[in-house]
Amino acid sequence: MRTVNPLLLLILIVASSASTQAADLNGAWTIDASACGQIFTKENNKLAFKQDADLHAGGFIVQGKQITGTLQKCTVKSWHDDGQNVRVTASCSDGVAISDVAFEVKISGENSITLSSKEPVPVEMLYVRCTM
């Protein structure tokens, strides 16, 4: 079985929250708000990664059910709201293989979320939305 990058797992959670409208999660997200300008740019009113974005703090872009990292792309297949958390299953591709991943998202604040996964190793990270 192929091991999935923890960032990829975390990215997937953001896409769809039954307790929060998907539009509320659209945007550019990173683990370090001070690095937003080094990671993201806006071209023709669309968010994009800067050329060397992967050299700075981790980040991803959410547009509806599409989640894009610097090296991976995911499409949300399903989500389940269990009250405090939303469990997400998504299909992700790194350009070589496609795999389904599952994880949870918790809305931590208006512009912050906590993403967590239990497999392949337990991971929990806080992400903040960049203002663009």
Side-chain angles (χ1 to χ4, degrees):
M1 181 176 187
R2 182 179 171 89
T3 303
V4 178
N5 180 319
L7 174 60
L8 172 64
L9 293 174
L10 300 176
I11 290 172
L12 301 176
I13 298 171
V14 178
S16 302
S17 170
S19 60
T20 303
Q21 296 177 359
D24 294 336
L25 298 174
N26 286 328
W29 296 84
T30 184
I31 58 174
D32 180 4
S34 67
C36 289
Q38 298 170 317
I39 301 170
F40 304 106
T41 186
K42 206 167 198 179
E43 300 172 358
N44 300 323
N45 279 336
K46 287 192 76 175
L47 290 170
F49 288 100
K50 287 195 170 182
Q51 184 174 350
D52 294 326
D54 54 342
L55 300 177
H56 303 283
F60 57 91
I61 297 170
V62 177
Q63 296 173 330
K65 289 189 173 189
Q66 301 299 311
I67 305 168
T68 306
T70 55
L71 301 173
Q72 296 125 349
K73 295 183 182 196
C74 302
T75 301
V76 174
K77 293 172 67 175
S78 68
W79 60 85
H80 175 73
D81 185 348
D82 68 5
Q84 187 172 358
N85 297 316
V86 178
R87 287 181 279 156
V88 178
T89 302
S91 177
C92 297
S93 171
D94 62 5
V96 175
I98 298 173
S99 59
D100 285 354
V101 293
F103 45 93
E104 293 185 355
V105 64
K106 179 178 181 179
I107 307 302
S108 304
E110 183 177 337
N111 288 309
S112 63
I113 55 174
T114 300
L115 304 172
S116 62
S117 69
K118 294 182 172 98
E119 295 180 12
V121 294
V123 177
E124 184 173 289
M125 293 183 76
L126 177 71
Y127 282 83
V128 294
R129 185 183 346 236
C130 295
T131 55
M132 301 295 296

